[in-house]
Amino acid sequence: MADLLPTELIANWQTLHRVFIQPEDENSKKILVKYMEKILFGLHDFLNKHVGVTEEISLAKLSEAYMDTTINKDPQKKLADVIEDIIHDIAPRAVNVASPYFIGHMTSAIPFFMVHLKAITAALNQNVIKLETSKVLSILEKQVIAKMHRMVYKQNDAFYKAHVQNTQTTLGVFTTGGTTANITALWVARNSVLFPKGDFKSIEENGFFQALKTHDLERMVVLVSKRGHFSLKKAGGLLGLGNQNVIAIDVDKNRQIDLSKLKALIQKLKSDGKTKIVAIVGLAGATETGIIDPLPQLADICEEHKIHFHVDAAWGGPVLLSEKYAHLLEGIERADSVTIDCHKQFYMPMTAGMVYFKDPTALDKIAYYASYVNRRGSVDLGIKTLEGSREASSLILDSALKIMGSRGYALMIEHGIETARIFAGKIRKRPCFQVVTEPVLNIVTYRMVPEAIQKKLASGDQTQHLNEVLDTLNKNIQRIQREAGNSFVSRTQLKAFPSDDHDSVVLRSVIMNPMTTPEILDEILDEQEAIFKKIAGTHFPLTGP
Ligand SMILES: *Cc1c(COP(=O)(O)O)cnc(C)c1O
């Protein structure tokens, strides 16, 4: 067999050595350079030419090609062939999130230089878990964290001078994303509530049972609006609170957390004496709607009751860079902790997030030391992170901030918010659509309500049936548009009117690609109307012309 294989496709010390330090041969190198040039400098054109928004091949069919579960003993392919495969088989069947017609999710085009910065980070391969594997990158991370902390909390020069490179204090940490950032924030909040008392040192040391016994508690809860991200539920499960105890508070007519219901619940929970509120979470903004909770009022409530105030600004945090719209996040500076994602509105490649704390010693509550890696009193960043080994994401963010300036980011943020407003206007002008949530940030939800159904709904009978028809119709429009592969909006379920007692299927658009223009948004609505015309009458007799 062996002599049928090209000599390079054998795993021996010689070929391994060659492949480890450089491409196998000149041809591989040429192909690598050819594609890297396209990827590094022409990604936009390259993807637009090669990738539809979605695959035209069904998932079931696609899965058939990915059934082999064995690992080859000898190499199967050279680097050049693997790259060709990725370009020809994988890329066209991935999702073209960079398309300006892709307005359904919080993942979109990234500036081309992000790919360079990511490649450099990979090439340096620093591990910021500790100084010994990162040196200046640990120092840089502390600096970038102080910059971001300043963006959120606006403390004075003396504060940042005291903390920027302080090895005893920590203003925040990079995480793998918003989920782990939220978990970290609630982890700190939980541990703060269960303070040392008598024999009890901490829940980390003594565990949940002793913690509850010492503090005479039966239940610990987190309060957040029903629009809270599901990572908060995950945190509830993971931290032992139980995800049912991440309590969803109704939203009011503005679709923000209902403050009177929140206050009433706090009173009720306090009166039983056995329940502790670990944290109240404010959204800035909500994943589905972009709505921002009333942060100053939430801060007041938390202050009054001495409750940890966490702001989940995974999505909205970078809005602080816009002088025009930063005021929307007023009150965020009063939060005890704040989550901000890097791979959302900082336009960084997957995956990175951050969490910030007002109190530079807050993260001591989750500090872990190990004599071989994270020594007491060292700069080792891994002492106070959920993650172990981590890439130097701070290098990418810092470089991006230098390349763009806060004004550059602000331009993209402002484009998103203003284009979303234009989009809502366009939707309102079309008689067969209804705006469900007006954009506060750059997210619009809406649904199709054909005029025939509007009339019938107004008459008041068959309401439930009509709502079901509308749900099915909107589901189908979203699916057919996605499958056609020209454009993409997502869908979720929300109350169509704040006074409704049920959720409806709505279309959700997130405008973050600076190449998405009002004309493109018109095309997307045109396409949805065309889909409706095609399926009305037969599939939806009630909606027929
Ligand atoms: C996206 C998001 C998260 C989760 O972030 P990941 O980076 O996906 O883990 C949490 N909260 C909000 C408000 C979000 O929008």
Side-chain angles (χ1 to χ4, degrees), residues 106 176-180 182 229 231 283 285-287 312 314-315 339 341 343-344:
M106 294 174 155
T176 48
T179 297
T180 37
N182 280 341
H229 189 268
S231 55
L283 305 176
T287 311
D312 185 357
W315 178 248
T339 286
D341 250 331
H343 55 227
K344 288 181 178 169

Side-chain angles (χ1 to χ4, degrees), residues 129-130 187 190-191 202-207 239 363-378 380-388:
I129 190 173
K130 66 183 287 72
W187 186 14
R190 181 198 68 174
N191 292 7
S202 72
I203 178 171
E204 295 298 313
E205 232 177 297
N206 306 111
L239 295 171
L363 276 159
D364 292 353
K365 304 271 185 335
I366 60 157
Y368 272 80
Y369 303 93
S371 50
Y372 67 95
V373 55
N374 289 323
R375 298 188 195 98
R376 271 169 214 280
S378 69
D380 299 348
L381 299 175
I383 293 172
K384 299 174 194 174
T385 56
L386 176 57
E387 283 91 353

Side-chain angles (χ1 to χ4, degrees), residues 137-205:
L137 275 311
S138 284
I139 312 274
L140 176 80
E141 180 162 318
K142 281 189 82 76
Q143 183 193 14
V144 180
I145 281 172
K147 288 183 187 180
M148 287 286 115
H149 191 280
R150 189 171 203 140
M151 175 185 82
V152 174
Y153 289 107
K154 302 181 186 63
Q155 305 280 6
N156 59 27
D157 288 342
F159 176 90
Y160 290 107
K161 203 166 164 215
H163 293 290
V164 58
Q165 294 301 341
N166 192 326
T167 56
Q168 303 297 321
T169 59
T170 313
L171 299 174
V173 289
F174 276 79
T175 60
T176 48
T179 297
T180 37
N182 280 341
I183 290 170
T184 304
L186 295 180
W187 186 14
V188 167
R190 181 198 68 174
N191 292 7
S192 309
V193 159
L194 302 170
F195 52 85
K197 195 172 166 188
D199 286 345
F200 175 75
K201 294 215 175 62
S202 72
I203 178 171
E204 295 298 313
E205 232 177 297

Side-chain angles (χ1 to χ4, degrees), residues 39 88 161 279 344 453:
I39 288 166
H88 296 295
K161 203 166 164 215
K344 288 181 178 169
I453 293 201

